Amino acid sequence: MDYFIVELTNQKKIAIPLEQIQEVITVNYADICPIPGVKNSLLGLISQRGILLWLLDLSLLLQNIPSFSNRLSSSTILVTKLGKNNVGLIVKKLGEIKDFLQDKITQDNLGQSLPIPLLSEYVDNFIQDETELLPILNMNNIQTYLNSN
């Protein structure tokens, strides 16, 4: 299966199933329309070709560290489809697309501590890469998070 390897803040990497990604775009912070009263990791909405796109800051959700360092910056967005909604996942840096054989995927973290703190509920598998253990983002759990109060 193919995975998009992306970097969050603090040089932490995660793998996202490539089949979940529709496209990659860049967004300026000034173009985001904040929505009051939503989860803090949801930065707001943008209009993408006439369709509203929620923006989820993965670094803020997974590490409690915001991606945007200042309001003049821009960020990379992985556009995904979660259920009936389009959601943009904000990441710091794009990596490579890798194909991992099923034998490289494990359901536990081999007794090691999680590579990214606070991540356990959004990860259910890991990939053993050449030099590191990469968590695989569970998109179903992300959707559950977004649908919860």
Side-chain angles (χ1 to χ4, degrees):
M1 184 171 194
D2 290 335
Y3 294 91
F4 209 144
I5 310 301
V6 297
E7 187 177 308
L8 303 176
T9 55
N10 289 347
Q11 300 176 336
K12 302 294 184 186
K13 293 181 182 177
I14 61 170
I16 301 173
L18 187 60
E19 65 190 21
Q20 300 284 332
I21 312 266
Q22 294 180 327
E23 66 180 305
V24 177
I25 60 174
T26 300
V27 171
N28 292 320
Y29 186 86
D31 295 334
I32 300 172
C33 177
I35 306 294
V38 299
K39 300 172 187 310
N40 68 340
S41 57
L42 282 172
L43 295 187
L45 294 166
I46 62 166
S47 177
Q48 182 202 21
R49 294 189 292 279
I51 297 173
L52 292 179
L53 179 68
W54 281 100
L55 297 182
L56 176 66
D57 187 339
L58 278 182
S59 290
L60 190 55
L61 175 66
L62 303 177
Q63 304 179 103
N64 206 24
I65 302 170
S67 290
F68 284 99
S69 56
N70 65 59
R71 296 187 180 275
L72 301 176
S73 62
S74 63
S75 197
T76 303
I77 312 294
L78 300 175
V79 178
T80 64
K81 184 83 167 174
L82 293 177
K84 297 178 182 178
N85 299 316
N86 293 323
V87 177
L89 305 177
I90 299 172
V91 298
K92 181 173 181 173
K93 185 177 174 184
L94 298 178
E96 56 192 331
I97 295 173
K98 287 191 168 186
D99 181 19
F100 289 99
L101 300 175
Q102 199 62 30
D103 66 342
K104 294 282 188 185
I105 298 174
T106 178
Q107 289 194 349
D108 62 32
N109 61 350
L110 306 174
Q112 301 175 21
S113 61
L114 289 172
I116 300 175
L118 310 174
L119 195 61
S120 58
E121 64 187 287
Y122 303 108
V123 168
D124 57 3
N125 291 315
F126 296 83
I127 299 170
Q128 183 62 54
D129 201 1
E130 296 99 28
T131 59
E132 59 190 324
L133 192 63
L134 296 173
I136 301 172
L137 191 64
N138 183 319
M139 298 302 285
N140 291 329
N141 289 359
I142 297 291
Q143 181 178 3
T144 300
Y145 165 78
L146 292 173
N147 292 336
S148 67
N149 291 332

